[in-house]
Amino acid sequence: MPLALLALAMGAFGIGTTEFVIMGLLPQVGADLGVSLPTAGLLVTGYALGVMIGAPIMTVLGTRISRKNMLMLLMGLFILGNLVSAAAPGFAVMLIGRVVASLAHGAFFGIGSVVAAELVAPEKKAGAISMMFTGLTVANVVGVPLGTFVGQSAGWRVTFVIVAALGVLGLAGVAKLVPDMPKPEGVRLRHEVAAFKNVQVVLAMAMTVLGFGGVFAAITYIAPMMTDVGGFAESSVTWLMVVFGLGMVAGNLIGGRFADRKLMPMLYTALGGLALALLLFTFLASVKVAVVAAVFLIGALGFATVPPLQKRVLDYAHGAPTLASAANIGAFNLGNALSAWLGGVVISAGFGYTAPNAVGAVLAAAALVLAVVSHRLELRPGRGTATPTDREPLAHGLETAAPAPADPASAPAADFVDLPTAASTARP
């Protein structure tokens, strides 16, 4: 794997740390800034909304500069946001800092996925994407617990200064190691937007929302579930989250490796296993051994869907994948917000703290249904049986399908989005 992937993973580590570390520091932040805990929780909500909104906006704004320069600009924005948070005199400024940092999140992972995929051979694309996302998963194992410890012992402001320093390292890594990879000539915003006309791109994003939503339906309420139902001490929640992070690391690497071989079987296995694990967790939350296994499996199976889904979006948005890739990152956060809300609804309705697990199982099962629908659309008569994952011409251009203009911008929008049609013409 190229060293440039290490730089992308380094930036992802910093972004993952700042996204999740705030959850363990909310009591300290709220007390220091003089706001209630529910109000302090807006720092989490504001960040998630910033990712969803910022991903497409920042990607569109960066369409006229090279991807490397855009990645550097995004890391600079990330550093600024965390420094503002560290120095915030009041809650409003702290919230502004969180939103500023979040604007870099979706676009960095979206553009970074495109860059990572272009750095390696076609058969290693999903593995390269998973390598970048390893930084995000490792953040949950190392960065978040360490940042929480530092914040509780030395003050939460110190944590955000350290996170900003991680951003500086990420910026330096991108500047030094990522090659200058300009955007393909002739690709315009209309081509980026046209990718969303492809039903396979939309289905992949819907799978992202539902699949990862299943994960966060359970994990959002893991603390009260474990203490009130599982009988764990409050201090145990920290190491349970480390177990969850280890599962994310393992699932991300496995998902990336096997998605390069058989993408759809990997999705079927991960989504089906996730639905089953969440369903069993609903009934076994009082059994401590089962809890540890379930938390690991939820992290592993949930994140095993990330590389294949991100690669699927890139494949079907071929020619102009950057905006679709960034929007898919926003879809993860939409799933987080949706599932957290649904989990709160069932708890408020009196179904207990294990009810969000059942909600997560339903969401994951719905994602599995969409995966089946998506695959059947690929294989329907007249559309060919090759997929972008299984057949190389789809991943690298439409020139095998039919003669095309040399300049991609002069090709019709359909040439960029109707890849299954290209598949049917590419083989006898």
Side-chain angles (χ1 to χ4, degrees):
M1 289 291 179
L3 283 177
L5 294 178
L6 178 62
L8 296 175
M10 194 180 307
F13 179 84
I15 291 175
T17 300
T18 203
E19 179 182 17
F20 294 109
V21 76
I22 188 65
M23 298 176 185
L25 299 176
L26 281 182
Q28 290 80 9
V29 173
D32 190 37
L33 299 180
V35 298
S36 66
L37 193 59
T39 300
L42 293 175
L43 297 173
V44 178
T45 305
Y47 189 95
L49 291 175
V51 174
M52 287 188 292
I53 297 171
I57 292 177
M58 296 304 297
T59 303
V60 168
L61 291 177
T63 54
R64 295 188 178 277
I65 64 176
S66 72
R67 287 166 179 161
K68 175 178 179 175
N69 288 340
M70 190 59 191
L71 287 172
M72 294 172 62
L73 178 63
L74 291 170
M75 288 310 301
L77 195 63
F78 170 81
I79 295 166
L80 174 63
N82 282 284
L83 289 177
V84 169
S85 295
F91 178 77
V93 177
M94 175 69 173
L95 182 59
I96 291 172
R98 290 287 292 168
V99 172
V100 169
S102 73
L103 294 177
H105 183 127
F108 183 88
F109 281 107
I111 297 172
S113 294
V114 177
V115 171
E118 291 181 354
L119 287 171
V120 298
E123 67 276 8
K124 295 182 179 180
K125 284 187 175 184
I129 294 171
S130 74
M131 187 63 66
M132 181 190 68
F133 276 98
T134 296
L136 176 63
T137 58
V138 171
N140 284 273
V141 180
V142 179
V144 173
L146 183 60
T148 301
F149 173 77
V150 170
Q152 292 173 345
S153 57
W156 60 269
R157 296 180 187 274
V158 177
T159 295
F160 283 98
V161 171
I162 293 175
V163 172
L166 292 175
V168 173
L169 290 176
L171 174 60
V174 170
K176 179 69 175 177
L177 300 176
V178 175
D180 193 10
M181 303 170 66
K183 186 172 179 179
E185 288 295 328
V187 176
R188 300 289 183 263
L189 179 59
R190 65 185 178 88
H191 300 135
E192 300 279 0
V193 174
F196 295 96
K197 296 178 182 178
N198 190 322
V199 67
Q200 293 289 6
V201 172
V202 176
L203 284 172
M205 291 182 181
M207 283 185 266
T208 296
V209 172
L210 295 173
F212 217 71
V215 174
F216 267 77
I219 295 302
T220 299
Y221 301 97
I222 193 70
M225 192 189 311
M226 294 302 90
T227 55
D228 288 24
V229 180
F232 287 88
E234 290 186 3
S235 59
S236 299
V237 176
T238 300
W239 67 260
L240 281 172
M241 291 307 295
V242 172
V243 171
F244 174 70
L246 289 171
M248 291 172 67
V249 173
N252 176 59
L253 294 175
I254 292 172
R257 179 176 181 180
F258 285 96
D260 275 325
R261 300 177 181 179
K262 289 295 181 181
L263 191 148
M264 291 311 296
M266 181 69 243
L267 270 182
Y268 287 161
T269 302
L271 292 172
L274 178 61
L276 180 60
L278 287 164
L279 181 62
L280 293 176
F281 195 22
T282 306
F283 301 102
L284 299 176
S286 59
V287 182
K288 291 186 178 180
V289 174
V291 165
V292 176
V295 168
F296 179 86
L297 286 174
I298 290 170
L301 293 168
F303 229 87
T305 67
V306 175
L309 284 173
Q310 193 70 4
K311 182 178 184 294
R312 194 161 175 81
V313 169
L314 293 179
D315 284 339
Y316 275 105
H318 172 70
T322 311
L323 182 58
S325 176
N328 196 48
I329 301 300
F332 282 104
N333 285 268
L334 177 59
N336 298 351
L338 173 65
S339 61
W341 174 72
L342 289 174
V345 169
V346 294
I347 290 175
S348 299
F351 290 102
Y353 286 123
T354 61
N357 296 332
V359 171
V362 172
L363 292 175
L368 178 59
V369 171
L370 290 184
V372 173
V373 171
S374 177
H375 198 198
R376 284 185 176 276
L377 285 176
E378 287 179 335
L379 303 179
R380 68 185 181 181
R383 303 290 283 184
T385 58
T387 67
T389 303
D390 300 327
R391 190 163 175 82
E392 188 51 34
L394 287 174
H396 280 276
L398 302 178
E399 61 274 8
T400 59
D407 180 4
S410 61
D415 286 349
F416 289 88
V417 297
D418 195 9
L419 294 179
T421 300
S424 64
T425 58
R427 61 187 299 169

